[in-house]
Amino acid sequence: MGGNQTSITEFLLLGFPVGPRIQMLLFGLFSLFYVFTLLGNGTILGLISLDSRLHTPMYFFLSHLAVVDIAYACNTVPQMLVNLLHPAKPISFAGCMTQMFLFLSFAHTECLLLVLMSYDRYVAICHPLRYSTIMTWRVCITLALTSWTLGVLLALVHLMLLLSLSFCGPQKVNHFFCEITAVLKLACVDTHINEVMVLAGALSVLVGPFFSIVISYVHILCAILKIQSGEGRQKAFSICSSHLCVAGFFYGTAIIIYVEPQYESPKEQKKYLLLFHSLFNPMLNPLIYSLRNKEVQGVLKRMLVKERTS
């Protein structure tokens, strides 16, 4: 960081342009959502780790998704809550870069994990007889580690490009956390390469994976319609619809934010979309899976009954 002639040592996050009363209301509301996110994803992790019936590839990837969602929320929400209480409190340059790097790492990893989850369902429903030979534990662990590694490496590329820029003011970031496009606007040099890389990264981890998921679920839907058993068809459709809802929420908002041309949507609108993306999406994931998945519901009920009788 010392070689980029940076004269700014801290940034001021502008957050949301609302009055003190609304800020306190948002603080309480966002705190509640944050607690629900931690409890929901923590419950998913606990159920998967404690019940051997959930030790399958699908729940293995779901546990990684829960870890990402917890980390995702912990990276952005606490800073946002601090800003609501103390709007004038700055964040250091190093802290801002770290937050941006972690946000991108977790976002990229979640993009890739959702692809793996759709592939797992594709193999399970379209090739059920070969499922155990294709989705071995070695393959699952390798795929999960690859997702995390690629997510971190892609974020590292953006970080290195950003650290090569000079920042000489203003130091006000028009966002509730150190989001990469908002920070780029504060550079006092040409950021064309950075903007191209942001778009290229979005296309590679958002648009490409999203279309691969859509294609997978088209094949899955065709296979589900061929299932003779009504109960089997309902179970397969319930699990896949849950995955599709999560993917739709995640990719839909992210594509609008990072792929849609800047002039199509106002900056404030994209800021609120990213709020949904980083706060509500991690909270909704465990709710969607637990409410729509009978296996998770069954394990949770058994755990609660066991706790009451003990």
Side-chain angles (χ1 to χ4, degrees), residues 156-183:
L156 193 59
V157 170
H158 289 298
L159 179 64
M160 291 297 102
L161 288 173
L162 194 65
L163 291 177
S164 67
L165 303 176
S166 296
F167 295 89
C168 49
Q171 65 186 71
K172 295 180 180 179
V173 180
N174 185 20
H175 224 288
F176 57 88
F177 76 104
C178 289
E179 193 270 334
I180 185 169
T181 59
V183 174

Side-chain angles (χ1 to χ4, degrees), residues 3 6 15 18 25 55 122 124 133 148 155 244 274 285 292 296-297:
T6 300
V18 294
L25 177 63
H55 293 175
Y122 166 76
T133 58
W148 281 95
L244 201 54
L274 194 52
N285 285 353
R292 301 293 297 275
V296 175
Q297 290 178 350

Side-chain angles (χ1 to χ4, degrees), residues 32-86:
L32 194 62
F33 290 155
Y34 182 50
V35 171
F36 283 155
T37 298
L38 298 182
L39 287 177
N41 286 285
T43 301
I44 292 290
L45 284 174
L47 293 176
I48 293 173
S49 62
L50 293 174
D51 197 292
S52 59
R53 282 164 288 198
L54 299 182
H55 293 175
T56 63
M58 182 181 78
Y59 292 106
F60 172 75
F61 292 129
L62 179 57
S63 66
H64 279 265
L65 183 66
V67 171
V68 170
D69 284 338
I70 290 173
Y72 209 63
C74 290
N75 182 51
T76 56
V77 178
Q79 181 66 50
M80 180 172 61
L81 296 177
V82 169
N83 290 342
L84 287 171
L85 290 179
H86 307 285

Side-chain angles (χ1 to χ4, degrees), residues 4-25:
N4 62 350
Q5 298 179 345
T6 300
S7 58
I8 289 182
T9 59
E10 57 186 25
F11 291 106
L12 185 64
L13 300 173
L14 298 182
F16 305 101
V18 294
R21 290 186 178 180
I22 302 297
Q23 283 182 338
M24 293 306 298
L25 177 63

Side-chain angles (χ1 to χ4, degrees), residues 183-251:
V183 174
L184 280 176
K185 296 183 185 303
L186 305 185
C188 50
V189 294
D190 182 35
T191 60
H192 179 70
I193 295 177
N194 300 75
E195 292 169 1
V196 169
M197 286 302 297
V198 170
L199 180 59
L203 290 173
S204 63
V205 299
L206 289 174
V207 179
F210 177 71
F211 279 110
S212 69
I213 289 175
V214 170
I215 292 171
S216 296
Y217 277 102
V218 169
H219 288 286
I220 289 171
L221 181 61
C222 294
I224 288 175
L225 294 176
K226 294 178 183 178
I227 296 176
Q228 299 297 326
S229 168
E231 183 180 350
R233 190 187 302 117
Q234 183 180 2
K235 180 180 178 181
F237 183 78
S238 175
I239 293 174
C240 291
S241 62
S242 298
H243 292 183
L244 201 54
C245 284
V246 170
F249 281 132
F250 185 85
Y251 286 105

